[in-house]
Structures are given as structure tokens and as C-alpha cells.
Amino acid sequence: MIKVSGLYKAINGQDILQDINLEVEDGEILVILGQSGAGKSVLLQHLMGLRKPDKGNVVISGVDITNLSERDLLRVRKNIGYLFQEGALYDFMDVYENLAFPLEEHTDLNEGQISQRIKNVLQTVGLEGVEGKYPVELSGGMRKRVALARAVILNSKILFCDEPTSGLDPIRSRDISDLIRNLSKQLQCTTVVTSHDVANSFRIADRLALIHEGRLIAVGIQGEIASSKDPFVRQFFKN
Ligand SMILES: Nc1ncnc2c1ncn2[C@@H]1O[C@H](COP(=O)(O)OP(=O)(O)O)[C@@H](O)[C@H]1O
Ligand SMILES: [Mg+2]
């Protein structure tokens, strides 16, 4: 389980996150929706311990990560798969090398096992035979798939995806959304996705949260959140 309690964060004297309280159950997919600049990425950075809150705390699988040393944080992060907004593959490595990297870093698998694992994980994200391609040779949708493959290659039970549909056309956005949901359920991951894309968030989520100017203003399942009386929430879901 992931639990955020009373979290506040100011950056350069500006309040960015205010009184964030949030729980994500084991195996659940929570989508955090919000406009650009609302605080989604900064919140995800707190969930990974990449930023320290001014107040409040973050508990991941029973461990309060708020005051962990950098070394203990690395151990926690090893168990978190993370899909960066820009995909963030290494441009100078081909797909195989991009995927082998975390395995070489964090496991003692031999070369044969690594190559088998890479083949399997590529199959899981619907790609085949792209091992020798460099990121620039792939379409945006394929790059996202490879990045997603890399995020789950260590069999992490926690998956974070920051704006997985940004920069993709509507069809690719739907595909990657369905893939994230299927993959998350198949691997039984506790998953947090951020997005500004309402329709695809409904496809992915078990539960949704809406963040506005650094505050969570609605949390619930689709029916609950879409029938909110709050004017901003109504406006957000109407567009
Ligand atoms: N490193 C930083 N320095 C200053 N301000 C930042 C920094 N990172 C984020 N912010 C500010 O925090 C707010 C939330 O940003 P962010 O979480 O990236 O929004 P989004 O919801 O689009 O992901 C924005 O106003 C942004 O300008
Ligand atoms: Mg962001």
C-alpha cells in the first residue's frame, strides 16, 4: 500500500502541494488527474523519495520513506517501476541495451537469462524484433512501449507513470492506456498514473483523484467523481 498523509511542499517560496492525503491499495490503479502545473509530477517525485516534503510523510509498503538515507531510498526505488513523461530511453543505446541496463545493474542474471527476459517483456508490451533498433528509429508509441517494458522489467510491484499519453495521437494514447491497465493487472502492480487526459484516465483507473493548484479536490471511482457538485470538478470533467 502507498499512503500519503498531510503532505506539504513549497518550492522557491511557492506553495506547490498542500495537505495531500491519499491511499493506494495493493494492486489498485489510481490516476491523478490535473491541469498542467497542478502538481502531479512533484507529487510523484515525493512518492519516489526524489523530493522531501516540508510536512507530512509518504509510506510505501509499510516503510516511511520521508527520512530515509539516500542508500535506503535506492533500495526502495529499486522496487518501483517508473515511466518518465518523455520516455527517457538512452538515445545512445539500442532497445536491447536499454532493457538490459536495469537487469545488469540490479540482478545477477546471466546473458542468456537477460536476453530471454528482454524477449518476454517486449512480447508483453506488444513488440517483437526491435531489440537492435535505436530510440530515434522508433515511433513515439513504440518508444513509450519500450519505456514501459523497462519500467516493469525488474518485476516491481509498484508502477508509476507520469503522463503516459502526452505527445501521442488519440489512437496510440488509447493503446498505451489499455496496455498500462492490462500490464498492471497482469503483474499485480500497485499503480499511480498522472494525466490531464480524462477519457483515457477513465480507461486506466480503478480510482481517480483530481489535483488543482496543489490540492486534491476530489477522490473516488468514476461515477463518484463525475457526479461531484464542486464547480471546478464539474468543469474539468465536462471538457
Ligand atoms: N524545480 C522546480 N522549481 C521551481 N518550480 C517548480 C519546480 N518543479 C515544479 N515546479 C512548479 O511546481 C508546480 C507543479 O509542477 P508539476 O508538478 O510539474 O505540474 P504538473 O501537474 O504539470 O506535473 C508548477 O507551478 C511548477 O512551476
Ligand atoms: Mg508533469
Side-chain angles (χ1 to χ4, degrees):
M1 191 173 85
I2 299 170
K3 185 167 176 168
V4 181
S5 311
L7 188 144
Y8 285 80
K9 181 68 174 183
I11 301 177
N12 301 335
Q14 259 212 305
D15 294 329
I16 303 298
L17 295 176
Q18 297 189 71
D19 197 25
I20 302 285
N21 295 283
L22 196 61
E23 279 184 27
V24 193
E25 299 294 334
D26 287 343
E28 184 184 33
I29 305 175
L30 177 80
V31 177
I32 300 174
L33 269 160
Q35 294 171 325
S36 175
K40 303 180 294 294
S41 297
V42 172
L43 179 53
L44 270 188
Q45 288 157 9
H46 281 85
L47 297 187
M48 301 187 71
L50 293 169
R51 285 184 187 274
K52 291 228 179 286
D54 300 328
K55 257 204 289 188
N57 66 352
V58 175
V59 176
I60 306 264
S61 312
V63 178
D64 185 344
I65 66 165
T66 321
N67 292 309
L68 288 186
S69 67
E70 202 48 43
R71 195 156 135 260
D72 290 336
L73 271 176
L74 284 178
R75 199 170 311 138
V76 172
R77 269 184 227 134
K78 217 177 85 178
N79 295 310
I80 299 177
Y82 189 75
L83 177 64
F84 291 90
Q85 186 162 345
E86 305 308 332
L89 296 170
Y90 295 114
D91 286 333
F92 56 91
M93 293 183 186
D94 65 17
V95 168
Y96 186 94
E97 291 164 333
N98 265 286
L99 294 174
F101 189 70
L103 296 172
E104 284 160 358
E105 202 78 343
H106 295 299
T107 73
D108 43 23
L109 297 180
N110 66 35
E111 228 174 283
Q113 293 166 319
I114 287 180
S115 116
Q116 190 58 48
R117 176 84 68 93
I118 289 174
K119 206 170 157 201
N120 291 346
V121 80
L122 282 174
Q123 222 164 30
T124 325
V125 299
L127 291 175
E128 252 172 299
V130 297
E131 281 92 332
K133 295 223 186 283
Y134 284 84
V136 292
E137 300 177 279
L138 302 174
S139 68
M142 287 165 92
R143 274 200 297 274
K144 288 267 180 188
R145 281 169 190 268
V146 175
L148 189 57
R150 193 177 58 180
V152 300
I153 202 163
L154 289 171
N155 295 327
S156 315
K157 284 294 169 214
I158 296 178
L159 177 63
F160 295 151
C161 304
D162 199 6
E163 303 249 12
T165 66
S166 75
L168 296 181
D169 66 48
I171 294 179
R172 304 292 173 279
S173 293
R174 249 177 59 174
D175 287 351
I176 200 82
S177 299
D178 290 346
L179 179 60
I180 287 170
R181 179 164 180 94
N182 294 338
L183 210 57
S184 169
K185 292 303 174 190
Q186 185 188 334
L187 304 173
Q188 299 177 296
C189 291
T190 307
T191 303
V192 179
V193 178
T194 72
S195 183
H196 61 270
D197 172 345
V198 174
N200 283 306
S201 295
F202 286 158
R203 295 180 80 86
I204 303 178
D206 292 321
R207 217 150 49 89
L208 302 119
L210 180 59
I211 187 169
H212 180 52
E213 293 175 351
R215 290 180 186 274
L216 288 182
I217 57 170
V219 183
I221 60 171
Q222 183 175 339
E224 290 166 347
I225 208 162
S227 64
S228 166
K229 299 237 173 341
D230 182 292
F232 179 82
V233 179
R234 295 183 71 89
Q235 185 60 32
F236 188 86
F237 285 101
K238 229 187 294 167
N239 292 336

